[in-house]
Amino acid sequence: MRTKVVENRTPDSRDEVRIAYDRIAERFDETRAAGESGWPFVERLVALARTNCSGSLRVLDAGCGAGRPVLQRLAERGCAVTGIDASAKMCELARRHVPSARILCADMLEVDLGETFDAVIAWDSLFHVPRERHAEAYARFAGWLKPGGGLLLSLGGREGDIRGEMFGASFFYNALAPEAARVLLEGAGFAIAHWELDDLTGGGHLAVLARRT
Ligand SMILES: C[S@@+](CC[C@H](N)C(=O)[O-])C[C@H]1O[C@@H](n2cnc3c(N)ncnc32)[C@H](O)[C@@H]1O
């Protein structure tokens, strides 16, 4: 992926992001399915959530993409999985790959789920949400989790706005400074369990595991 820092940031590019993912969904899916895409962190999330739940884990993936590998592997391991994605094409692929999953085509800042989960994942999705709305997203994640439930996030590794290109489509990414993200997460009722800058290329990539207190 090629990236460059943008000076005139787009205040809210969620529609643009959704349309761009519709365009590239199949190529994105093929690439993702061939790799691990955060799976080692998902295994850590499952271990964390299991300390708080003895039965089948209920897991929500916010920005689940085409469902591979994460939702598919979780379903194969007996988890009850729900995915939300703003892109209709991604949802269509996720339903095909993970027929047992409940897949909702919706914006994570707007969807009303009316239920709670043992674990919530927002892997490589929140950096498409304007950072001015990250506090709201964290409050939503906390509301979707049972007390003691686990959260896995990835975030951009440094504050700023980036325009990147993937499979010929242009994408907007953004992030808060990591310490500002930590303050917001703790303010939303999360205790940080693991914090790792796992990729320093481009804008950097931060993996965060937390537990809802
Ligand atoms: C880079 S992909 C990651 C997909 C999946 N989490 C993975 O790791 O393979 C980002 C996904 O987040 C979705 N997304 C971005 N913003 C969203 C929002 N506000 N609400 C729901 N989905 C969103 C996109 O449609 C896209 O499928």
Side-chain angles (χ1 to χ4, degrees):
M1 183 181 78
R2 285 190 288 121
T3 59
K4 70 175 183 189
V5 174
V6 290
E7 282 168 19
N8 301 316
R9 76 180 298 257
T10 314
D12 189 340
S13 324
R14 284 177 298 151
D15 277 344
E16 179 198 316
V17 167
R18 175 179 54 75
I19 291 163
Y21 275 112
D22 276 344
R23 277 183 53 205
I24 67 152
E26 281 173 359
R27 278 171 295 171
F28 180 89
D29 174 37
E30 281 162 23
T31 308
R32 226 42 169 186
E36 288 299 291
S37 177
W39 180 251
F41 291 107
V42 177
E43 288 189 309
R44 294 173 80 145
L45 172 71
V46 166
L48 188 143
R50 284 221 187 281
T51 63
N52 198 54
C53 168
S54 52
S56 168
L57 284 184
R58 296 167 55 79
V59 183
L60 171 71
D61 190 345
C64 63
R68 298 193 294 181
V70 169
L71 274 190
Q72 190 174 57
R73 290 188 192 176
L74 288 171
E76 285 165 1
R77 282 157 179 74
C79 299
V81 291
T82 298
I84 307 168
D85 203 282
S87 153
K89 188 71 194 167
M90 288 291 201
C91 290
E92 184 189 318
L93 292 169
R95 288 188 186 110
R96 193 187 306 163
H97 298 318
V98 199
S100 64
R102 176 184 177 217
I103 303 292
L104 303 171
C105 190
D107 191 306
M108 68 175 88
L109 292 179
E110 290 163 18
V111 68
D112 183 5
L113 291 170
E115 59 178 309
T116 55
F117 300 85
D118 301 298
V120 169
I121 300 169
W123 186 260
D124 287 1
S125 54
L126 197 63
F127 50 38
H128 292 306
V129 171
R131 60 179 176 266
E132 291 80 2
R133 299 193 68 179
H134 283 196
E136 188 183 338
Y138 295 153
R140 287 183 146 253
F141 298 162
W144 291 334
L145 278 167
K146 295 173 184 162
L151 174 70
L152 171 64
L153 286 176
S154 68
L155 299 168
R158 69 177 80 102
E159 182 174 354
D161 307 311
I162 287 175
R163 187 154 285 282
E165 194 187 300
M166 190 166 35
F167 301 120
S170 172
F171 287 88
F172 170 72
Y173 302 84
N174 74 147
L176 289 163
E179 279 315 308
R182 182 192 283 267
V183 168
L184 288 189
L185 274 165
E186 289 172 348
F190 288 101
I192 307 295
H194 185 76
W195 185 268
E196 180 177 337
L197 262 175
D198 66 330
D199 182 3
L200 293 170
T201 61
H205 189 266
L206 179 66
V208 179
L209 270 166
R211 191 191 286 280
R212 199 203 127 174
T213 52

